[in-house]
Amino acid sequence: MATKTRGAFNHVVLLLAATSLLATAASKDRCHSGDKAALLAVKAALGNPFPSWTPDSPCCDWYDVDCDYSTGRVVGLSVFQDANLTGAIPDAVAGLAHLQSLMWHHLPALSGPIPPAIAKLSNLSQLIISWTAVSGPVPSFLGALTKLTLLDLSFNSLTGAVPASLAALPNLSGINLSRNRLTGAIPPLLLSKSPDQAYLLLSHNNMSGAIPAGFAAVNFAHLDLSRNAFAGDASGLFGRGKELQYLDLSRNAFSFNLSGVGLPEQLYFVDVSHNAISGGIPAEVANLTNLQFFNVSYNRLCGAVPTGGHMERFDLFSFQHNKCLCGTPLANPCN
């Protein structure tokens, strides 16, 4: 009887597995006709790259395409590392109504502006256009993408200001606009609605102005404002109890007193070099157990370099060219 039971059970398991495989295969073949038409239009607009994209094959089998196999709808398009792909981002991408992730990455001959058609992708949560020759502004119509959580437009040739419309996005928690030619100030409420830890990278642009006062309340984990022309007080970014782990303010014109700031306990990277920061280095820096990089050089700091803890990790180059810092590893001892 036990043998018969095991045999019947095994038969049921095999039947369920076969049914599941058939269902998966069926949904995979159920490439939505509208999505396939949109993808073929994208291909045509770019001069017919993507040899696997053929009308007689299911679009969910195509390279660079991701589908939701329960619906057969295209939810991801990732085009990357193709030096031969030329042209602009096609308007036909707007036909992918269920798209959640769109990536154009490391495509040096992809040019032109970011097309308004992208604003029609109402389900988009991740937009990545990076390491391309895309130019023009960061468009304000991106503020229509209310489900957006990540916006990466780094390493392009974008110009103009960061649009204030981005500050209205309720789910946006990650922005990378580094390595462009952006100007102007940071929108006052940028990332103020972030539901999670926030990530903001604006390095290597030509932006200016002060840090928004509201940044003191944003739950930043990673903040890189380096190599711009920002000025004023950035002390509000610091504070004990904050979840900040990475802070790079280097090569700006920030001026504030460092002495009284509280240091977030999780910091592992701090670079505030090449500014006009005064005061002294808080002694508690020696107690930051995760700290791997620390650079306060080329400022107006005075007083003793803190000792103990992990401070031996940091050499002369972390502290040089200040007004009157003293002590190890500097050559001048403290009186």
Side-chain angles (χ1 to χ4, degrees):
M1 181 64 69
T3 302
K4 287 184 179 179
T5 302
R6 282 197 299 271
F9 177 76
N10 290 337
H11 178 74
V12 171
V13 170
L14 289 172
L15 183 62
L16 288 173
T19 303
S20 177
L21 286 171
L22 286 171
T24 301
S27 64
K28 196 171 184 179
D29 291 338
R30 204 169 60 239
C31 173
H32 190 273
S33 59
D35 290 346
K36 177 181 277 191
L39 288 168
L40 290 173
V42 168
K43 176 180 179 178
L46 292 170
N48 291 305
F50 319 127
S52 73
W53 294 20
T54 59
D56 57 350
S57 63
C59 65
C60 294
D61 284 343
W62 296 351
Y63 286 114
D64 304 333
V65 176
D66 292 311
C67 287
D68 180 341
Y69 288 128
S70 65
T71 64
R73 301 305 300 255
V74 173
V75 294
L77 176 61
S78 304
V79 183
F80 57 95
Q81 292 184 327
D82 186 349
N84 298 317
L85 190 146
T86 60
I89 298 172
D91 290 337
V93 74
L96 299 169
H98 289 252
L99 204 63
Q100 298 172 19
S101 176
L102 177 60
M103 179 171 72
W104 304 88
H105 174 67
H106 224 293
L107 305 166
L110 185 72
S111 58
I114 298 171
I118 286 181
K120 297 179 181 179
L121 299 173
S122 59
N123 290 299
L124 205 62
S125 64
Q126 296 187 349
L127 176 60
I128 300 171
I129 304 171
S130 59
W131 292 81
T132 75
V134 167
S135 59
V138 177
S140 60
F141 59 69
L142 295 179
L145 300 175
T146 56
K147 294 184 179 180
L148 203 64
T149 62
L150 170 65
L151 177 65
D152 183 351
L153 304 178
S154 61
F155 289 84
N156 294 301
S157 297
L158 299 172
T159 55
V162 177
S165 61
L166 295 182
L169 293 174
N171 298 298
L172 188 63
S173 58
I175 300 175
N176 187 353
L177 303 177
S178 58
R179 303 271 182 169
N180 280 286
R181 302 170 189 169
L182 300 176
T183 55
I186 301 172
L189 299 177
L190 193 67
L191 291 173
S192 61
K193 296 184 178 183
S194 172
D196 303 305
Q197 289 183 327
Y199 298 78
L200 179 62
L201 294 84
L202 299 176
S203 68
H204 293 79
N205 280 289
N206 300 307
M207 298 181 67
S208 58
I211 297 294
F215 269 21
V218 176
N219 186 24
F220 283 112
H222 187 120
L223 181 61
D224 186 352
L225 305 179
S226 62
R227 294 179 182 268
N228 281 281
F230 294 120
D233 188 358
S235 61
L237 300 174
F238 296 86
R240 296 182 189 89
K242 291 191 175 185
E243 297 183 29
L244 187 64
Q245 300 170 34
Y246 184 108
L247 179 65
D248 193 345
L249 304 179
S250 62
R251 297 182 184 272
N252 281 285
F254 290 119
S255 57
F256 60 94
N257 191 314
L258 190 63
S259 301
V261 303
L263 299 177
E265 293 83 355
Q266 298 179 42
L267 279 171
Y268 71 85
F269 183 103
V270 178
D271 191 347
V272 295
S273 62
H274 295 269
N275 282 287
I277 300 170
S278 59
I281 301 173
E284 66 194 86
V285 69
N287 301 325
L288 299 179
T289 55
N290 296 329
L291 196 63
Q292 300 294 324
F293 185 92
F294 184 71
N295 191 347
V296 295
S297 63
Y298 292 88
N299 278 290
R300 300 173 183 173
L301 298 171
C302 284
V305 174
T307 58
H310 298 286
M311 293 305 293
E312 71 277 0
R313 294 175 179 171
F314 312 117
D315 59 16
L316 169 70
F317 298 100
S318 294
F319 307 102
Q320 64 182 350
H321 292 281
N322 272 284
K323 184 178 179 182
C324 47
L325 278 181
C326 60
T328 306
L330 296 169
N332 49 314
C334 297
N335 295 325

